[in-house]
Amino acid sequence: MRFAIWGVGAVGIGLASTLARPDERLLLLGRDPETDEAIARHGIRRTGLFGERVVPPDQLTTRMDPTSLFEDPPDWHLICTKAYATDAIAREFAPLAPALAKRTRLLLCQNGWGNEEPFRPFWPQTRLFHARVITGFKRHRRHEVEITAHASPIALGSVFGLEIGSLVPVAERIDTGGVPAETSGDMPAVLWGKMLYNCALNPLGALAGRRYGELTADQTTRSLVEEVIREIFRVLEAAGISLPWPTAQAYLETFHAELIPPTAAHESSMLQDLRAGRPTEIEALCGAVERLGREFDIETPVVSALATLVRRAEGRTS
Ligand SMILES: NC(=O)c1ccc[n+]([C@@H]2O[C@H](COP(=O)([O-])OP(=O)(O)OC[C@H]3O[C@@H](n4cnc5c(N)ncnc54)[C@H](OP(=O)(O)O)[C@@H]3O)[C@@H](O)[C@H]2O)c1
């Protein structure tokens, strides 16, 4: 089973470290020549939770070689870029689709909801899958990542509720490669479980410049966090998407008692993106809630206000 990874960042390198095998070459499709060079020289290295794994350069190919994509096509293409790069990846992928669509499958490994949309015009949904990652990968050098946190196994599934047998060997491969992974028969619930946490904390953490524990300790920001969660529950109820928690209140009890304490010192990755002058994943997070709310006629004033403020902070006017 061969893999190609689009986006050679923290998650891309982390997953590559689990998937590489001595008898195969794994394709790493990034866009940074210095990263390619570092990987060609040193291979990749993963440290942190679950121990060390080094993959030597001879198990990796870092240059896009069209012949390797077509003559010996990867069985899986993993999309590991930030969500805002999905449109660009889909544009690169579209011309390859007629030759690849019968032989290969896509696995979108990004945060957010709706990342599959740019692929749908040209890619069959039976070959389009998602992964939810709540493992923290920190990239220290171009070719090195550290696993700094792990909340639950990487979950693989179909948001369309389709057959997921093809994902079983992928989950096994990631798992035996050192990071717990499993398949899920209810991917919308799994992805929205993470959306609740991300939408409640990332934008506000970025705008307020506060860590997650500080956001919930302060009464003003805590009430905004809780209102985001209630708005998302209302939207999902209208959209017919069910969650493992029957009500927003039930989720909030888990959120405050179990999810916040171990991540109280965490800083929002959106804050890091804004500080670095990069775009953020706001459209795949609060933007996706807004769009779904509009579709089902449910107002999302707090989610929309946060989305608007983050867009402004990015320097956008719309
Ligand atoms: N890191 C984590 O702990 C973690 C945990 C859970 C979920 N996630 C999610 O996983 C996704 C990836 O996050 P990450 O932390 O791995 O991000 P990252 O470290 O920024 O890596 C993304 C990589 O994609 C590359 N890229 C961007 N546009 C590209 C293009 N058009 N073609 C090829 N490569 C391109 C970037 O290159 P440049 O450096 O040149 O921009 C970067 O190397 C995000 O959705 C994130 O929210 C991350």
Side-chain angles (χ1 to χ4, degrees), residues 127-211:
R127 291 181 164 263
L128 188 46
F129 300 93
H130 290 69
R132 186 242 26 219
V133 180
I134 328 188
T135 306
F137 294 95
K138 199 165 173 143
R139 192 173 169 197
H140 295 298
R141 299 173 70 193
R142 290 182 193 283
H143 61 292
E144 287 188 8
V145 291
E146 178 189 359
I147 297 188
T148 53
H150 180 74
S152 55
I154 293 176
L156 313 180
S158 162
V159 294
F160 309 112
L162 298 173
E163 163 60 33
I164 56 166
S166 62
L167 287 168
V168 173
V170 182
E172 282 171 4
R173 178 94 162 230
I174 295 171
D175 201 78
T176 54
V179 180
E182 62 190 18
T183 55
S184 166
D186 190 356
M187 210 54 193
V190 165
L191 290 177
W192 278 102
K194 189 164 189 211
M195 282 284 282
L196 282 168
Y197 181 87
N198 283 340
C199 292
L201 296 168
N202 288 16
L204 200 53
L207 293 165
R210 293 276 183 272
R211 294 175 190 277

Side-chain angles (χ1 to χ4, degrees), residues 7-11 29-31 80-83 85 88-89 92 109-111 133 135-137 139 194 281:
V8 189
V11 168
L29 305 171
R31 60 174 185 177
C80 299
T81 62
K82 288 282 178 82
I89 297 290
E92 281 186 61
C109 304
Q110 303 140 304
N111 274 353
V133 180
T135 306
F137 294 95
R139 192 173 169 197
K194 189 164 189 211
E281 295 191 300

Side-chain angles (χ1 to χ4, degrees), residues 41-314:
R41 184 174 309 155
H42 306 289
I44 56 176
R45 178 166 175 256
R46 185 188 82 222
T47 58
L49 306 178
F50 313 123
E52 183 184 35
R53 182 147 198 226
V54 176
V55 180
D58 64 4
Q59 293 176 27
L60 304 164
T61 298
T62 50
R63 288 266 162 239
M64 163 81 97
D65 172 3
T67 54
S68 62
L69 280 180
F70 297 124
E71 285 168 12
D72 187 12
D75 303 287
W76 287 91
H77 287 260
L78 274 59
I79 310 300
C80 299
T81 62
K82 288 282 178 82
Y84 54 75
T86 315
D87 279 336
I89 297 290
R91 277 195 300 276
E92 281 186 61
F93 215 87
L96 311 173
L100 295 182
K102 289 201 174 67
R103 300 190 282 183
T104 200
R105 292 179 171 84
L106 285 182
L107 181 61
L108 309 182
C109 304
Q110 303 140 304
N111 274 353
W113 179 255
N115 290 315
E116 70 286 356
E117 287 304 324
F119 294 96
R120 291 191 66 180
F122 60 84
W123 196 261
Q125 63 181 26
T126 49
R127 291 181 164 263
L128 188 46
F129 300 93
H130 290 69
R132 186 242 26 219
V133 180
I134 328 188
T135 306
F137 294 95
K138 199 165 173 143
R139 192 173 169 197
H140 295 298
R141 299 173 70 193
R142 290 182 193 283
H143 61 292
E144 287 188 8
V145 291
E146 178 189 359
I147 297 188
T148 53
H150 180 74
S152 55
I154 293 176
L156 313 180
S158 162
V159 294
F160 309 112
L162 298 173
E163 163 60 33
I164 56 166
S166 62
L167 287 168
V168 173
V170 182
E172 282 171 4
R173 178 94 162 230
I174 295 171
D175 201 78
T176 54
V179 180
E182 62 190 18
T183 55
S184 166
D186 190 356
M187 210 54 193
V190 165
L191 290 177
W192 278 102
K194 189 164 189 211
M195 282 284 282
L196 282 168
Y197 181 87
N198 283 340
C199 292
L201 296 168
N202 288 16
L204 200 53
L207 293 165
R210 293 276 183 272
R211 294 175 190 277
Y212 292 169
E214 294 170 326
L215 288 179
T216 53
D218 177 274
Q219 202 43 54
T220 307
T221 45
R222 182 186 176 105
S223 60
L224 289 171
V225 162
E226 295 190 349
E227 197 46 36
V228 168
I229 287 164
R230 289 192 196 95
E231 286 181 5
I232 295 176
F233 264 82
R234 287 196 282 274
V235 169
L236 295 186
E237 188 181 3
I241 297 173
S242 49
L243 287 165
W245 305 271
T247 60
Q249 191 52 38
Y251 174 76
L252 281 168
E253 280 161 25
T254 306
F255 179 78
H256 289 303
E258 294 170 26
L259 304 184
I260 288 297
T263 57
H266 283 205
E267 203 173 63
S268 159
S269 61
M270 204 173 270
L271 175 59
Q272 291 158 14
D273 286 336
L274 287 180
R275 278 186 185 141
R278 291 189 294 257
T280 72
E281 295 191 300
I282 193 70
E283 299 308 338
L285 299 175
C286 293
V289 177
E290 275 187 299
R291 290 190 292 279
L292 201 57
R294 272 200 296 273
E295 194 179 328
F296 290 93
D297 216 11
I298 302 294
E299 291 190 353
T300 57
V302 177
V303 168
S304 298
L306 292 174
T308 301
L309 290 170
V310 171
R311 290 174 190 130
R312 297 282 186 278
E314 281 182 33

